[in-house]
């Protein structure tokens, strides 16, 4: 947003008293962001009533807030053009800086969004994980033996998948921004379902590598594309919980797919096909159906829900669309800087990539979950090596994913409750440390099979903090109060994508569990213990770094007079987390 042009554009000359102008700016922004301003009471009551931080009137009661008018309407007319969305923004016709609504209205509307949007997004993620995760169930049906492949071949195939996944992410996101995630996501789903089905006809190492690469290329941008799509409907504070539902679907897929595999793998020998071949063919077909339905189901934005499939009147009334558009823009005005079919330029991506304050988050994203990844990828192979049958092996994976799901939902909620990310992320590594030590020192032999299973199950069910560090709406967020302007100008879309880019992509790219080290994987577990130590040191260093960054800015901000702060807020060209009034949440 063009802060540097603000003084000249306020309707006066550059010599106009800066206190007057900056006061107007601050008062307008407080109202726009839903913050109390003692001079901005509404005129319908002798007792001032202010919009809450959620842009609602909590104590509206019997009052008719529809008759309320701003006392400073003239100032609003002068200033609102600096914070309104661009003319081509898809919700521009519903933008109203004076719009008001009750907390109950917003609560009901968000619940409808959960049913209409979030639930279907979780269902689509179920389809993604079904196709990229069923390789684990296929292994339990002796797929490697049938194809004359080794564990190392499986490692190579998985690494090919994740490298392809990584390389395809950014191009896929650029396509999604141009076509719209509501169009691009269903196209992705149908395309990868074709590849998923074709896995039923792989004949050896070469075709296995080819299908893993194609799956990675096509699936690569799905998760960031979905997060971008959700950001059209939800505010920043609402996203972490919805993303915990999203990752909860990831976990539930493992549970449901274990039951599906239990039944499908019994088809081994039918029509001359192995059980794992039936698994790939049937589950890939299911994804194709979900992808086709998604093409017709997904609306482009909150104000574009009308269609033959969704109904000619759409899902929401005009009143509800006004609430949705304005609550999103008040939470993050930068969402109005681009429309949902607008491509991102390389310059914007480069500006986001240069943000060195985000580098620690990117670095942690590369390694935080590696210690649990081998156990997750190899759980069925480990159980088979412990002499459990194919069907028992698939059923024994279920308790670990139930634990995974419970921890995911609870810890995401708890992180928001205590407003602390450091403790939860650090706890993830603390959880894994004793389990890896126990796996390293536990003797071999069939007498310890159930103990080894329990340790691996607990490791697979580790505290999954992806919704906190990977998809947190902004991993470092502004502290705002009545005196300090909350800004969202740095929450641009390229930064959202880059924050999601490294997470979970490089973690599995390793050869930690190898054929020569099986079945106890002593060497691999030593490597994992070293990675846990590295992650713990990195997390502590991040905590110290962000505390130092906040302290440095607080000293500069605290040394400024109120007049200087007002001038800074009205004229600064600093953006996002480079502003002096920005504080990192950690």
């Amino acid at each position: 947003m063009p802060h540097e042009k603000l003084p000249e554009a306020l309707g006066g000359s550059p010599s106009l008293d800066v206190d007057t102008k900056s006061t107007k700016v601050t008062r307008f922004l407080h109202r726009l962001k839903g913050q109390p301003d003692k001079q901005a009471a509404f005129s319908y009551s002798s007792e001032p009533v202010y919009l809450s931080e959620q842009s609602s009137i909590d104590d509206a009661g019997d009052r008719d807030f529809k008759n309320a008018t701003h006392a400073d309407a003239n100032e609003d007319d002068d200033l609102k053009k600096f914070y309104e969305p661009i003319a081509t923004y898809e919700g521009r016709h519903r933008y109203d800086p004076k719009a008001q609504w009750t907390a109950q209205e917003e609560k009901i509307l968000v619940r409808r969004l959960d049913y209409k949007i979030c639930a279907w997004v979780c269902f689509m993620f179920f389809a993604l994980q079904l196709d990229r995760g069923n390789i684990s169930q296929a292994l339990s049906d002796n797929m490697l033996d049938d194809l004359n492949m080794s564990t190392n071949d499986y490692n190579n195939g998985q690494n090919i998948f994740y490298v392809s996944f990584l390389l395809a992410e950014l191009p896929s996101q650029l396509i999604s921004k141009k076509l719209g995630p509501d169009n691009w996501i269903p196209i992705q789903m149908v395309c990868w379902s074709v590849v998923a089905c074709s896995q039923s006809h792989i004949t050896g190492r070469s075709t296995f590598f080819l299908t893993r690469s194609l799956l990675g290329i096509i699936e690569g941008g799905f998760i960031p594309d979905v997060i971008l799509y959700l950001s059209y409907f939800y505010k920043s504070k609402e996203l972490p919980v919805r993303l915990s539902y999203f990752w909860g679907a990831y976990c539930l897929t493992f549970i449901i797919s274990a039951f599906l595999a239990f039944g499908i793998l019994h088809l081994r020998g039918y029509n001359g096909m192995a059980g794992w071949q039936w698994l790939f063919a049937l589950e890939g077909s299911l994804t194709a159906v979900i992808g086709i339905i998604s093409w017709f189901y997904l609306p482009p934005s909150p104000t574009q829900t009308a269609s033959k499939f969704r109904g000619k009147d759409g899902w929401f009334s005009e009143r509800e669309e006004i609430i949705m558009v304005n609550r999103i823009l008040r939470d993050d005005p930068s969402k109005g800087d681009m429309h949902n079919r607008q491509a991102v330029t390389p310059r914007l991506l480069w500006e986001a990539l240069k943000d060195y304050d985000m580098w620690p988050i990117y670095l942690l994203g590369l390694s935080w979950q590696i210690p649990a990844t081998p156990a997750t990828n190899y759980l069925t192979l480990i159980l088979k090596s412990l002499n459990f049958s194919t069907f028992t092996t698939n059923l024994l994976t279920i308790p670990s994913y139930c634990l995974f799901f419970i921890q995911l939902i609870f810890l995401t909620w708890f992180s928001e409750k205590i407003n602390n990310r450091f403790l939860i992320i650090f706890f993830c590594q603390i959880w894994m440390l004793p389990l890896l030590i126990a796996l390293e020192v536990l003797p071999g032999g069939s007498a310890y099979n159930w103990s080894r299973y329990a340790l691996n199950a607990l490791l697979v069910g580790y505290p999954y903090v992806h919704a906190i560090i990977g998809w947190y709406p902004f991993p470092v967020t502004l502290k705002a109060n009545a005196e300090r302007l909350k800004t969202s100008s740095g929450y641009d879309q390229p930064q959202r994508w880059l924050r999601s880019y490294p997470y979970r992509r490089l973690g599995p790219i390793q050869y930690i569990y190898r054929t020569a080290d099986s079945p106890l994987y002593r060497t691999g577990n030593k490597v994992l213990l070293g990675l846990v130590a590295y992650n713990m040191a990195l997390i502590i260093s991040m905590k110290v770094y962000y505390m130092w960054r906040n302290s440095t800015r607080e000293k500069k901000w605290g040394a400024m007079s109120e007049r200087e702060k007002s001038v800074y807020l009205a004229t600064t060209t600093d953006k996002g987390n480079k502003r002096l009034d920005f504080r990192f949440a950690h």
Side-chain angles (χ1 to χ4, degrees):
M1 291 180 287
H3 296 290
E4 68 275 10
K5 297 181 180 178
L6 202 53
E8 291 80 0
L10 285 173
S13 66
S15 61
L16 182 66
D17 182 75
V18 73
D19 281 339
T20 302
K21 293 195 294 185
S22 61
T23 299
K24 287 183 178 182
V25 172
T26 304
R27 287 165 62 189
F28 172 74
L29 289 174
H30 281 174
R31 291 194 301 277
L32 185 64
K33 297 298 293 178
Q35 296 173 354
D37 181 346
K38 292 182 180 179
Q39 302 180 57
F42 298 115
S43 60
Y44 62 87
S45 172
S46 59
E47 293 294 325
V49 179
Y50 308 105
L51 292 177
S52 72
E53 190 170 331
Q54 287 73 34
S55 301
S56 59
I57 302 176
D58 294 331
D59 57 350
D62 296 328
R63 298 175 181 176
D64 184 8
F65 65 84
K66 294 182 181 179
N67 295 324
T69 59
H70 283 297
D72 302 285
N74 291 334
E75 293 179 15
D76 290 354
D77 292 337
D78 288 337
L79 295 167
K80 67 181 181 181
K81 59 179 176 290
F82 295 104
Y83 303 95
E84 65 184 5
I86 60 175
T88 55
Y89 175 64
E90 60 274 8
R92 178 64 182 82
H93 61 297
R94 300 300 190 211
Y95 170 70
D96 182 2
K98 298 179 182 180
Q100 306 158 39
W101 55 88
T102 66
Q104 185 63 21
E105 280 185 291
E106 185 168 10
K107 182 179 179 180
I108 293 173
L109 187 56
V110 171
R111 189 179 299 122
R112 287 192 65 198
L113 288 173
D114 288 340
Y115 293 144
K116 294 284 190 179
I117 301 297
C118 188
W120 189 261
V121 164
C122 290
F123 190 44
M124 292 191 299
F125 192 37
F126 164 82
L128 170 76
Q129 191 55 39
L130 194 67
D131 284 339
R132 73 172 181 172
N134 57 13
I135 185 69
S136 179
Q137 283 91 28
L139 293 178
S140 70
D141 193 47
N142 302 314
M143 186 188 83
L144 295 183
D145 292 338
D146 290 348
L147 298 174
N148 295 316
M149 290 168 51
S150 68
T151 302
N152 289 344
D153 293 327
Y154 169 66
N155 282 341
N156 290 331
Q158 288 299 89
N159 285 336
I160 289 172
F161 171 82
Y162 285 110
V163 169
S164 301
F165 201 101
L166 174 68
L167 296 178
E169 272 203 349
L170 189 55
S172 177
Q173 291 168 60
L174 294 176
I175 295 172
S176 177
K177 192 62 184 71
K178 179 64 175 177
L179 300 182
D182 56 297
N183 288 327
W184 180 235
I185 291 173
I187 292 173
Q188 286 176 288
M189 295 181 69
V190 173
C191 289
W192 88 57
S193 70
V194 173
V195 179
C197 289
S198 71
Q199 290 180 110
S200 63
H201 295 288
I202 58 178
T203 56
R205 184 186 297 108
S206 298
T207 49
F208 175 66
F209 291 167
L210 176 62
T211 54
R212 298 315 289 173
S213 177
L214 289 174
L215 277 178
I217 291 172
I218 300 171
E219 294 178 353
F222 175 84
I223 296 175
D225 293 342
V226 165
I227 304 308
L228 171 66
Y229 183 68
L230 286 175
S231 72
Y232 294 164
F233 298 89
Y234 290 101
K235 297 193 300 186
S236 298
K237 285 195 69 175
E238 295 165 349
L239 270 177
V241 173
R242 272 71 199 176
L243 294 176
S244 71
Y245 300 158
F246 184 72
W247 291 110
Y250 161 82
C251 171
L252 289 176
T253 303
F254 282 105
I255 299 173
I256 296 172
S257 65
F259 285 111
L260 289 175
F262 181 83
I264 295 174
L265 293 179
H266 276 90
L267 293 174
R268 174 176 272 273
Y270 186 77
N271 203 30
M273 295 172 61
W276 57 267
Q277 291 177 303
W278 280 109
L279 187 73
F280 287 138
L282 294 177
E283 293 186 348
S285 300
L286 176 60
T287 297
V289 173
I290 297 174
I292 293 171
I293 295 174
S294 297
W295 173 268
F296 298 100
Y297 182 84
L298 294 179
S301 74
T303 60
Q304 297 171 300
T305 60
S307 73
K308 291 182 179 179
F309 187 85
R310 295 183 295 269
K312 64 177 182 178
D313 296 324
W315 290 343
F316 306 106
S317 66
E318 178 180 337
R319 166 73 176 167
E320 290 172 326
E321 290 183 357
I322 290 174
I323 296 174
M324 284 190 291
V325 167
N326 288 280
R327 78 188 200 96
I328 291 297
L329 293 178
R330 293 178 191 182
D331 175 68
D332 185 351
S334 73
K335 291 180 180 179
D337 293 343
M338 301 180 74
H339 61 78
N340 61 0
R341 296 291 189 271
Q342 183 176 345
V344 175
T345 65
R347 184 186 64 82
L348 290 175
L349 289 173
W350 175 244
E351 289 297 321
L353 185 61
K354 290 193 302 182
D355 187 357
Y356 54 84
D357 281 318
M358 292 292 95
W359 292 353
I361 303 291
Y362 302 157
L363 191 61
L364 181 63
L366 298 177
S367 65
W368 71 272
Q369 74 174 131
I370 293 180
T373 297
T376 302
N377 287 345
Y378 283 81
L379 183 58
T380 53
L381 284 177
I382 292 171
L383 293 177
K384 287 285 287 184
S385 71
L386 298 178
N387 298 318
F388 291 107
S389 69
T390 296
F391 307 111
T392 301
T393 291
N394 282 284
L395 294 178
L396 285 177
T397 64
I398 294 174
S400 57
Y401 293 115
C402 290
L403 175 62
F404 182 104
F405 177 78
I406 293 170
Q407 293 210 82
L408 168 66
I409 300 299
F410 173 76
L411 290 176
T412 304
W413 169 84
F414 189 63
S415 174
E416 290 297 298
K417 184 73 173 179
I418 65 174
N419 191 30
N420 192 305
R421 282 138 294 279
F422 167 77
L423 289 177
I424 305 301
I425 297 171
F426 195 74
F427 173 69
C428 172
Q429 304 301 315
I430 293 294
W431 175 278
M432 292 186 280
L433 181 62
L435 297 174
L436 288 170
I437 292 175
L439 284 172
E440 178 62 20
V441 302
L442 188 69
S446 59
Y448 298 95
N449 281 0
W450 283 104
S451 298
R452 192 168 300 279
Y453 159 71
L455 292 171
N456 277 287
L458 289 172
L459 190 57
V460 173
Y462 71 107
Y464 193 73
V465 295
H466 204 166
I468 300 173
I469 62 173
W471 305 114
Y472 201 77
F474 202 78
V476 283
T477 54
L478 177 67
K479 295 177 181 177
N481 53 42
E483 292 79 33
R484 183 169 295 159
L485 174 65
K486 179 176 180 179
T487 179
S488 300
S489 61
Y491 296 174
D492 56 274
Q493 294 178 26
Q495 277 190 329
R496 292 189 191 100
W497 295 346
L498 286 173
R499 285 199 304 274
S500 71
Y501 191 65
Y503 294 90
R504 283 180 37 83
R505 308 300 175 251
L506 294 184
I509 300 177
Q510 27 73 18
Y511 294 88
I512 295 176
Y513 279 7
R514 299 181 62 82
T515 301
D517 198 27
S518 65
L520 301 180
Y521 301 107
R522 300 292 193 192
T523 302
N525 289 330
K526 289 184 177 70
V527 174
L528 295 178
L529 284 169
L531 285 168
V532 169
Y534 162 79
N535 287 338
M536 293 172 70
L538 177 59
I539 294 168
I540 294 172
S541 299
M542 289 172 59
K543 176 73 172 180
V544 173
Y545 174 76
Y546 289 124
M547 290 176 64
W548 170 74
R549 290 289 284 162
N550 283 350
S551 176
T552 301
R553 290 186 183 173
E554 186 60 39
K555 288 179 181 179
K556 293 180 180 179
W557 184 258
M560 297 168 64
S561 66
E562 291 301 317
R563 182 175 182 275
E564 290 172 328
K565 292 178 182 178
S566 296
V567 172
Y568 174 84
L569 293 175
T571 63
T572 184
T573 58
D574 295 337
K575 295 181 179 180
N577 61 26
K578 298 302 181 284
R579 291 175 59 109
L580 290 179
D581 57 332
F582 189 102
R583 299 296 178 269
F584 293 99
H586 48 79

